[in-house]
Amino acid sequence: MKNRTLRHAAAWMLLPALLLGTAACQRQHRFTITGEIAGLQPGDTLRFERIILPDWDLEPAFDLVVADSERFDYKGRQPHDQKYLITYHPKEGKAPMCDRSGKEVIVTDGDHITLSGTADYLYYCRLQGGVYDDPLLAEALRLEDSLGRYRGDCLRLQAEAMERGDTVTAQEHINRFNRFYDDHAEAMQRTREAMQRYRDARPEGTLYLLLSHLARVTYQPVEESKAAYAALAPALQESYYGQRFAEEIARAERLAEGQPGPDFSVVATDGTTRDKASYAGRYLLVYHWGLCPGSIYIDAQVRALHDRYRAQGFEVLGITESIATIRKLYEQLPADTKTPVSGTDDIRPVLGEMLHHTWTEAELETGHPENGSLCEAYDIEGWPFFVLLGPDGTIRARGFSDAFYKAREILDRELGEPVADAGAPAAE
């Protein structure tokens, strides 16, 4: 799951063996990264880590230590196109809080990438050069960064208020953060439309779009991934990441709808062991849930579906990181004051319902680390994530919230009558 290394499988289609076999012998790609970030001080470090897709594992690449205030320059080499995560490590103090773990940057052969902005908002800085010189992509990323910067301000201002002991103001800022997606729906829609304009204008793909598809290949329907690969220009198909995309499509095919679900065995919170065979002859919905807006939104609908069909043999197996963490948050929230988050005006009663699920639960971070093998087997990452297994053990639906709605349609069709759709929730 989160620490899974990139695995190589037989390619979905025949790939030139020469390209795969001689990749290590190819010449090194040269690149330059420069920047002018107001507020950087000598001795500050920008750490570059390679992002290993589609799993988002990280491995060290290089550190860029600032020699002169605000300006830096780095010349490097890499064996192929690469996506990095940049993190800021000041020589003194801490990096400002924000809503991101770092700044992502794609570097290709011969690129001269420039970063411009401020240290306080380094993770939202402007990128130029390479793929970022496309004006449509630049506009989409500008809108995305603007939203992220505002959302990050909510966290920063909340932390500053807490340092002053101003708990009322701190709560106001955290409520703004929690309501962010609801309060900025129009701006988020404009951002999505800008990215769609970029995609529509580049039907043969770009490296940026290829990496976006690769990041989704573990949960996106395999036919969508195949179609995306087929639409790529030949040069992109034959590129390093194009080859990885083809390999991951081959892996994803074993988890496509209609394929037999892999075996699994988990130790539930009640101490019992549940495996795939335990659910033979019944529909099983594996539900990976946690503290995210998507889970908060959809949890009641999962409970309603379970209540509706449990008498007919429908089972849910809940997988979460730590129920104790959720219980602790529930107990810390005031019972006499509403705590709004995106999707609900008060998260506390939602958490209370989560703590009383009527199905079997298994945890990933407490007591039984082997439970993670289920997530490995089904490539489950993020929340909320769903896998519906049919009575014969085959995969009927798999993915984020869309997979739940598909599972509900299947159960309504095969076990009962349709119910009204409440709409699609957010996903992480």
Side-chain angles (χ1 to χ4, degrees):
M1 197 166 97
K2 293 179 181 177
N3 295 315
R4 178 159 54 83
T5 57
L6 184 64
R7 294 173 291 188
H8 301 287
W12 161 54
M13 60 189 302
L14 293 177
L15 296 172
L18 183 61
L19 288 174
L20 291 173
T22 62
C25 301
Q26 294 176 358
R27 69 176 180 83
Q28 292 283 297
H29 294 186
R30 298 173 183 268
F31 64 90
T32 301
I33 296 176
T34 61
E36 186 167 344
I37 304 293
L40 286 184
Q41 300 297 319
D44 287 354
T45 298
L46 299 183
R47 179 155 297 151
F48 286 69
E49 295 174 281
R50 300 181 190 90
I51 299 173
I52 310 301
L53 295 173
D55 305 304
W56 276 88
D57 290 334
L58 299 173
E59 64 178 28
F62 57 90
D63 282 356
L64 193 163
V65 180
V66 178
D68 300 317
S69 294
E70 303 184 352
R71 298 183 65 86
F72 54 84
D73 182 277
Y74 180 87
K75 295 183 183 297
R77 298 183 181 186
Q78 59 189 18
H80 50 69
D81 298 340
Q82 184 64 60
K83 186 172 188 175
Y84 297 98
L85 183 73
I86 309 172
T87 53
Y88 173 37
H89 302 270
K91 184 178 180 180
E92 297 180 357
K94 297 180 179 179
M97 293 186 68
C98 70
D99 74 332
R100 297 178 179 177
S101 58
K103 179 69 174 180
E104 299 170 23
V105 59
I106 299 169
V107 181
T108 66
D109 188 18
D111 277 355
H112 185 169
I113 302 294
T114 63
L115 292 74
S116 57
T118 66
D120 284 347
Y121 295 102
L122 195 148
Y123 294 173
Y124 313 102
C125 69
R126 182 186 181 191
L127 297 173
Q128 294 174 281
V131 301
Y132 303 102
D133 282 342
D134 188 311
L136 291 175
L137 177 60
E139 175 62 10
L141 295 180
R142 184 190 68 80
L143 292 171
E144 184 179 276
D145 287 340
S146 177
L147 282 170
R149 178 171 173 161
Y150 180 86
R151 188 168 183 256
D153 277 347
C154 297
L155 293 176
R156 179 176 57 81
L157 293 171
Q158 185 263 348
E160 292 174 357
M162 288 298 293
E163 289 180 0
R164 300 192 304 269
D166 186 350
T167 57
V168 173
T169 301
Q171 187 62 49
E172 291 175 355
H173 289 305
I174 205 62
N175 287 347
R176 286 171 53 214
F177 177 84
N178 290 336
R179 294 194 309 265
F180 182 83
Y181 295 113
D182 291 336
D183 292 346
H184 298 85
E186 291 185 6
M188 291 178 64
Q189 180 60 27
R190 287 194 296 271
T191 302
R192 287 191 291 268
E193 290 171 352
M195 186 59 72
Q196 186 60 52
R197 286 192 293 272
Y198 169 62
R199 286 193 293 265
D200 291 343
R202 309 290 181 259
E204 292 190 342
T206 66
L207 179 58
Y208 183 93
L209 294 174
L210 168 56
L211 290 173
S212 297
H213 285 298
L214 181 55
R216 298 194 299 269
V217 70
T218 58
Y219 60 85
Q220 173 172 275
V222 70
E223 294 304 323
E224 290 185 22
S225 294
K226 285 184 175 182
Y229 181 89
L232 292 173
L236 286 171
Q237 291 181 346
E238 295 167 6
S239 69
Y240 170 80
Y241 282 115
Q243 294 176 58
R244 296 295 169 260
F245 190 25
E247 292 176 356
E248 291 297 329
I249 289 172
R251 287 187 53 246
E253 285 198 299
R254 68 180 177 82
L255 296 175
E257 294 173 12
Q259 295 295 316
D263 291 334
F264 64 83
S265 178
V266 298
V267 179
T269 54
D270 61 7
T272 62
T273 298
R274 304 297 177 92
D275 56 20
K276 184 185 175 188
S278 303
Y279 298 97
R282 290 170 285 174
Y283 286 95
L284 170 66
L285 184 69
V286 178
Y287 170 34
H288 183 217
W289 61 283
L291 291 174
C292 73
S295 295
I296 297 300
Y297 183 96
I298 208 169
D299 195 77
Q301 298 177 61
V302 181
R303 287 186 277 109
L305 189 67
H306 185 235
D307 291 345
R308 181 176 176 84
Y309 294 122
R310 62 189 300 188
Q312 295 166 255
F314 170 54
E315 300 270 8
V316 174
L317 174 59
I319 306 292
T320 193
E321 271 55 34
S322 170
I323 293 175
T325 298
I326 295 167
R327 181 175 290 109
K328 181 179 180 180
L329 176 60
Y330 172 77
E331 293 172 349
Q332 289 176 340
L333 292 172
D336 56 350
T337 303
K338 290 185 177 181
T339 304
V341 300
S342 183
T344 180
D345 63 353
D346 190 5
I347 190 178
R348 192 173 191 274
V350 178
L351 296 180
E353 294 287 354
M354 286 179 160
L355 293 172
H356 295 91
H357 285 155
T358 55
W359 50 71
T360 301
E361 300 273 26
E363 296 175 293
L364 297 175
E365 295 181 353
T366 52
H368 296 282
E370 67 272 22
N371 287 354
S373 63
L374 185 151
C375 293
E376 291 279 348
Y378 287 88
D379 268 337
I380 295 174
E381 301 188 33
W383 308 272
F385 200 98
F386 301 89
V387 179
L388 178 68
L389 297 180
D392 60 354
T394 60
I395 298 172
R396 301 290 300 276
R398 178 182 165 278
F400 288 104
S401 299
D402 286 348
F404 170 75
Y405 291 111
K406 182 167 187 177
R408 190 173 69 178
E409 290 174 0
I410 291 171
L411 294 174
D412 287 342
R413 182 174 64 248
E414 300 182 11
L415 295 181
E417 296 296 328
V419 294
D421 191 345
E428 287 193 355

